[in-house]
Structure formats: C-alpha cells, structure tokens
Amino acid sequence: MSVQVASMPRIQIPNVSLLAFRVWQRNRDVYLNIWRAEIVWPLVDPLITLIALGIGLGDFVELPVEQSYVEFIAPGLLAAFPMWIAAGETGWGSFFRMENQRTFDAIVATPATIDDVVTGEILWAATRACISVVYILVLATAFGAVDSVLAIFVLPIAFLPGLMFGSISLCWTSMARSVSQLNYFFAAFITPQFWLSGVFFPLSELPGWVQTVAWFTPAKHAVDIYRGLVAGEVEVGHLGDVAWMIVVTGIFYCIAVFAMRRRLVR
Amino acid sequence: MEPGIIVANNLVKRYGDFTAVDSISFTVARGECFGILGPNGAGKTTTIRMISCVSPVTAGDLSVDGMAVQKQPRRIKAILGVVPQEDNLDPDLSVRQNLRAYSRYFNMPADIARERIDEVLELMQLTGKQKDRIDALSGGLKRRLTIARGLINEPKILVLDEPTTGLDPQARHLVWQKLRLLGQQGVTMLLTTHYMEEAARLCDRVIILHRGKIIAEGDPTEMVERFAGRDVIEVLVEGDERAAVLRQLEGVDGVTVEEVADLLYLYVRGDNGFDVSALNLDEERVVQRRANLEDVFLKLTGRGIEEDQ
C-alpha cells in the first residue's frame, strides 16, 4: 500500500488556469441579469456626496491651494467608492456565493480549482470597481471637477486598486464564519480609509504620525495617483504608489488563495 | 479483463482523529451503476468527494479512468458529471444560463454548448422551462436540472450523491426513469443513497458502508438472498406470548429470528418456506413479505439510530 501526503499542501503557488475567466464570466452574467438593482448604490452615493460635500459643505471650506472643494474631493471619490464596491463584491458577494448559494462547490466540481475561483472573484471585483469609476468620472466631469483629459487614465489604472481591495477583502471573507463577521472588516478597515485617506482633506493637515500611518493604508496610494491624473500633474512618485499597490495585491492574493484552500479543500 | 473505471485501494480519509473512510477497496466497472449505501455519516459522501477530486485522499490509491486523483484532478474532473446532494444552482441565472455558465468551466465553445444544452434539456424534459428562474422551479425540476448540468460535458462517469433525497414520489420515479435511461446509454453511474428501493432499482452492484468500512458487497438481489433470505415475516408479539413463539421457532430449519422492540423478524430461507399459521396468532399481527435490500441493510448496520451523526 502506498501512502500519499495527508492533504494538498496549502502553501504552494496558485494553480490558476484560464478557467478563472470562466468564473468572471459567470459573475458578469449574473450582473447583466440584475444590473438595475446593482446600479443604484454606485451611482447615487457619489452623486449625493458631490452635492452634499462638494457643493453644500464646499462653500465653507477654504483649501490651502487655489481649488474648489468639489474639485478637491472628486479624485478622492474615484478611489473611495470603487474601494467599497470591490471590497463589497469579494466580501458580502463572495461570502453569499460561497456559503448560501454554494456556487464555489458547484464550480470546483468541474475542471476549475478553488484557485481559479479565487482569481475569478478578484478579477470580477476589480471589474466592478472600474464600472463604478465610469459613473464617478461622468458625474465629476458634469460637476466641472475634472481639469485634465489624463483623467481618462483613471479607468484602466482603477483595475489595480480593484484587485487590491478585492484580494484584501477576500482574505477576510475566507476566515469569516458568518455574514456579521464581515461587518468588522468594513467597520475597522474600509470605513476608516474612506475618511482618512486624503479624500476629504489633505493629509498634510494631520499630525506627522497619522501621515505615517496613512502611508500604510492602501486607499491613500490610489487617491494620490488619481489626484495627479485629474489635475494633469503626474509625477514619478506615482510609480511608487503603483508599485506599492502591486506588492500589496500580490501578498493578499496569495493569502486569499491559501486561506480559501484551508477553508474549502477538506 | 479491464481494470475498472474507478479503482480504490485501501482508501483512507481522516479528519484529525476521526477516520471517515477506513481503508476501503472497490472497483467500478465501465458502464455499470454502482451504489454506495450506508447510514448517515458512514462515509458515502466523503468517498465520492475523493473520487470527484474535491477532497484530498489521506492514504491509499484511488484512480479514475486510469488517472490518479492526486496527480491529474483537472483531467479527471473533465470526464465526471457531479450531481451534489445540496442544490447549488445559480439562483440569479435562468435554467439555460445555468447550463451555459457550467459548460464554460469545461471550455466548451458556444456553438457546441448550445447544441449540448438543447440535448440535455430535452433529455431531462426541461425544454419548456429553459427561460425560467431557478426560484420558480419545484424540487423535482431543480434536481433534474442539476442532473442535466452534470451531463453537460458528456461525462464518462455520472456521480450522484443521494439523487432523490427530498423529492416527492412522482418526482423520484421520474428521476429513476431518467437515470435508467442513462444507464441504458452506457453511462457509468456512481450513486450514494440510503433509499434501499433506489439501490435495488438502479444499481448493478452495491457496497454497504458502515463507520467508514465496507461491510458487504455484491449484486443487490444476490445480497438479499444471502443476508435476508427469501421472505420476511414480521410478528407483533410481546411478553409471555413472545416467549412461547420463540420456543416454537427454536430449531426450525431455515428460519432466523431477530428481536427488535415489540417486533420479531423471521428471516425465511430456502424453498420450503415457513407456515406462519403454525404460530396461531391474529392475522393483523403478522405481516409476511418478500425480503428486500432494506432488510439486508438493517440487519448489517443495526436497527439502532446512529448517535452523534
């Protein structure tokens, strides 16, 4: 009798194939069936924010630079709302597919692996982030908050923070035992980034140590790049932000794969 | 002789200290319907999860169509059709979209998928339902769709985990009819069930699992003959009367007696039979019937309810 290894080693390079794209297609099909319900939040939230904060509150705000407040927050919103969308997709969305609909079980019964599923889910989260970037770009342009045609490059670049937030959120999802446990992640990680990543006020207003902490928050790097693009002032330093996000995405993607194997391959 | 399309050799599955599958060996021949029976928690689902390459093997050898499950899971999964116990259809997709999404996991091109979807819808009598939402389907329709989905890749082996659990009698009979049809078409089928009737109707060969071990194996009819005999007489009798009946039965050739709560089970073997009127009991307290697989099952796995499972 030959004896094999007790179980598939969890720490090994992701076994991903083009079937990850099939998972993405499945999510796209569902989205195309229910987009009417899915369009409201990504569209209405930024719109209200632009009106309430950009125009309403904006009149009372004096910025250190010559800029209207709506112009100041627009690039930040391009980062902040898609962050919510991507994290929500691999948060509540993936959890629901995994636990309630057992969609992951159905998929891994085919030639697809759990690694393909994880990859497809994250690719879809990034796609959703880009879709919401389109809405916000249109809204921001309508509010006169876009100064440069370079702003159009936010769209392809937004895929990267989409992957990043999708990966980070899926890591948490892979460990969550119930839907309510997902709330911790959103309350403790996503919401603080929404308010404290330089979206609504320049981080330079805050004490030095807070700025140091802010450097470690993923959203800050997306905000910095978008500010440059929307204002037409791209710097070499933005490459550093891109590199930062690539590294973080890679790390959390691998953790998500290992954690999902641990949870589902039993 | 061909080695068999599924070959398990000393197959073991452990979860920590718990041994779910305890060194079992069996072979499934090409084209046969093979049943895995057993009470809940016996290791049926774990066994087929290992065969489906979704649960890693702890020890032993397991090959499907000549490929080891540890080495070529993707290629094995490409020739399997899996029908899980729990429905995991996509509720946000229509019947047809469910099949299309599934066909893509097998890298089926759109035009071939379209034809194949039409075929499986037809086969499972779902053509008229193809635009329906999943929520609108009854349990029986959902199960037929899940079977249709399992057939999308023209699998060499169809793996069914309790295919009719939770269905009403009509739906169950229709599923059986469809599965027999597939059997006639030469599809190898591996199914788990705890419905003995289902195993007797569908399976060419069965194994009975109990606490992770195979406790009996063979052709269902032959197993009934071997373990339960030809007829079973159930006698409702208690107290002093029971003692009297038992005395009468002592030393009767070809009759085995089992006492269960308020009932006596008499397993009658051989051609001579047993004349029940000799016991002098009221007719309504005596039921005489043909032995079936359920008798085998209960005899072998015990009549007590399995605790903690």
Side-chain angles (χ1 to χ4, degrees):
Chain A
M1 175 182 134
S2 66
V3 175
Q4 273 86 23
V5 202
S7 65
M8 176 177 141
R10 285 172 186 129
I11 311 294
Q12 68 170 29
I13 48 165
N15 178 4
V16 177
S17 72
L18 284 173
L19 293 180
F21 176 61
R22 304 306 187 189
V23 177
W24 181 92
Q25 282 179 308
R26 179 258 165 222
N27 289 339
R28 178 209 58 192
D29 285 0
V30 171
Y31 182 74
L32 292 177
N33 277 5
I34 59 170
W35 65 271
R36 284 175 199 84
E38 294 283 342
I39 203 171
V40 178
W41 197 41
L43 198 58
V44 170
D45 251 11
L47 177 64
I48 291 175
T49 312
L50 283 168
I51 294 171
L53 299 183
I55 297 176
L57 181 71
D59 279 354
F60 303 95
V61 177
E62 228 175 276
L63 291 163
V65 285
E66 195 63 33
Q67 203 179 24
S68 73
Y69 190 58
V70 72
E71 281 177 300
F72 180 81
I73 62 169
L77 298 185
L78 282 168
F81 285 113
M83 165 181 77
W84 268 103
I85 299 287
E89 189 62 36
T90 52
W92 293 295
S94 294
F95 190 88
F96 195 71
R97 286 188 280 275
M98 172 169 68
E99 290 295 325
N100 299 58
Q101 302 185 355
R102 316 293 324 170
T103 310
F104 292 4
D105 292 345
I107 299 173
V108 299
T110 72
T113 61
I114 190 63
D115 302 11
D116 291 328
V117 175
V118 166
T119 310
E121 290 283 298
I122 293 170
L123 286 172
W124 176 246
T127 308
R128 286 293 306 269
C130 288
I131 295 170
S132 80
V133 161
V134 173
Y135 304 152
I136 302 165
L137 266 181
V138 170
L139 289 173
T141 309
F143 277 78
V146 175
D147 289 339
S148 166
V149 288
L150 286 180
I152 198 70
F153 288 107
V154 171
L155 193 49
I157 290 175
F159 204 73
L160 177 58
L163 292 174
M164 175 172 68
F165 288 112
S167 302
I168 296 172
S169 180
L170 195 58
C171 285
W172 182 261
T173 304
S174 67
M175 289 176 274
R177 290 289 138 202
S178 65
V179 179
S180 56
Q181 285 188 357
L182 295 176
N183 298 342
Y184 295 125
F185 172 76
F186 288 92
F189 185 73
I190 299 294
T191 306
Q193 287 191 84
F194 184 82
W195 295 109
L196 303 171
S197 296
V199 175
F200 299 102
F201 53 87
L203 284 173
S204 52
E205 301 293 305
L206 295 176
W209 68 270
V210 182
Q211 291 185 43
T212 311
V213 171
W215 189 87
F216 287 97
T217 61
K220 183 223 180 255
H221 299 274
V223 174
D224 283 357
I225 296 173
Y226 296 171
R227 273 200 197 295
L229 287 170
V230 172
E233 293 159 5
V234 182
E235 299 160 21
V236 182
H238 291 141
L239 285 177
D241 292 314
V242 170
W244 194 98
M245 289 195 284
I246 289 175
V247 170
V248 169
T249 304
I251 292 169
F252 280 93
Y253 169 70
C254 290
I255 297 174
V257 168
F258 302 150
M260 274 297 177
R261 285 181 193 161
R262 195 172 73 107
R263 182 181 185 124
L264 297 173
V265 183
R266 283 180 293 117
Chain B
M1 199 187 118
E2 232 200 342
I5 195 160
I6 301 172
V7 181
N9 227 326
N10 298 316
L11 186 61
V12 177
K13 178 71 190 190
R14 270 191 287 271
Y15 296 104
D17 292 335
F18 175 67
T19 305
V21 172
D22 194 357
S23 195
I24 64 174
S25 303
F26 60 88
T27 301
V28 179
R30 212 171 282 270
E32 80 174 332
C33 180
F34 188 87
I36 302 180
L37 316 185
N40 289 337
K44 304 186 297 288
T45 301
T46 307
T47 303
I48 65 165
R49 278 172 54 84
M50 287 192 280
I51 292 167
S52 317
C53 307
V54 292
S55 180
V57 168
T58 307
D61 292 317
L62 179 60
S63 74
V64 179
D65 204 23
M67 299 176 275
V69 291
Q70 299 94 333
K71 301 251 169 61
Q72 291 170 296
R74 282 193 198 261
R75 287 186 58 192
I76 291 174
K77 291 197 286 180
I79 60 157
L80 295 182
V82 178
V83 180
Q85 197 172 326
E86 263 178 89
D87 277 320
N88 53 25
L89 297 162
D90 256 318
D92 295 316
L93 298 177
S94 71
V95 166
R96 194 178 181 92
Q97 286 177 323
N98 259 279
L99 297 172
R100 178 60 188 128
Y102 222 65
S103 71
R104 284 195 295 244
Y105 303 129
F106 295 92
N107 278 326
M108 281 172 101
D111 49 339
I112 294 176
R114 203 174 306 126
E115 282 173 31
R116 187 63 193 154
I117 290 168
D118 288 338
E119 277 172 36
V120 295
L121 285 172
E122 182 75 41
L123 184 69
M124 289 294 143
Q125 288 174 288
L126 289 163
T127 309
K129 303 276 179 192
Q130 55 179 310
K131 292 202 173 75
D132 285 18
R133 285 177 55 92
I134 300 305
D135 303 339
L137 303 180
S138 66
L141 285 171
K142 279 185 192 162
R143 194 58 55 91
R144 265 148 63 195
L145 177 56
T146 311
I147 296 172
R149 191 182 68 175
L151 292 168
I152 201 78
N153 58 323
E154 297 188 71
K156 286 188 181 176
I157 307 169
L158 189 61
V159 180
L160 304 129
D161 195 3
E162 300 191 9
T164 62
T165 299
L167 299 187
D168 62 36
Q170 281 84 358
R172 173 175 302 163
H173 278 272
L174 189 55
V175 167
W176 283 342
Q177 183 201 326
K178 295 299 172 193
L179 294 179
R180 275 197 303 271
L181 187 68
L182 290 169
Q184 284 157 15
Q185 291 172 0
V187 179
T188 306
M189 281 187 279
L190 175 70
L191 68 90
T192 73
T193 184
H194 46 230
Y195 294 122
M196 295 308 112
E197 193 191 352
E198 180 161 290
R201 278 165 183 263
L202 297 174
C203 298
D204 302 308
R205 229 147 45 82
V206 299
I207 55 176
I208 298 181
L209 280 187
H210 189 49
R211 296 182 181 162
K213 287 183 189 296
I214 296 176
I215 54 169
E217 177 170 9
D219 167 74
T221 330
E222 185 264 334
M223 277 169 89
V224 172
E225 195 70 27
R226 175 155 43 119
F227 292 103
R230 206 186 58 175
D231 293 304
V232 176
I233 302 166
E234 295 176 21
V235 184
L236 185 65
V237 63
E238 284 182 289
D240 296 341
E241 227 182 338
R242 167 177 289 204
V245 170
L246 284 173
R247 262 197 307 279
Q248 261 183 287
L249 288 168
E250 249 172 60
V252 176
D253 211 25
V255 176
T256 347
V257 184
E258 191 186 349
E259 293 181 70
V260 182
D262 55 352
L263 278 175
L264 289 183
Y265 286 83
L266 316 185
Y267 298 100
V268 185
R269 287 165 200 284
D271 300 326
N272 300 336
F274 174 72
D275 186 8
V276 81
S277 61
L279 294 176
N280 287 322
L281 289 164
D282 299 343
E283 267 180 44
E284 54 268 30
R285 287 160 63 190
V286 179
V287 178
Q288 184 160 13
R289 56 172 175 79
R290 300 293 283 186
N292 58 36
L293 205 50
E294 189 146 329
D295 297 308
V296 178
F297 185 78
L298 291 175
K299 211 171 167 194
L300 292 173
T301 63
R303 290 177 190 271
I305 292 167
E306 292 284 308
E307 297 280 338
D308 63 64
Q309 279 169 0

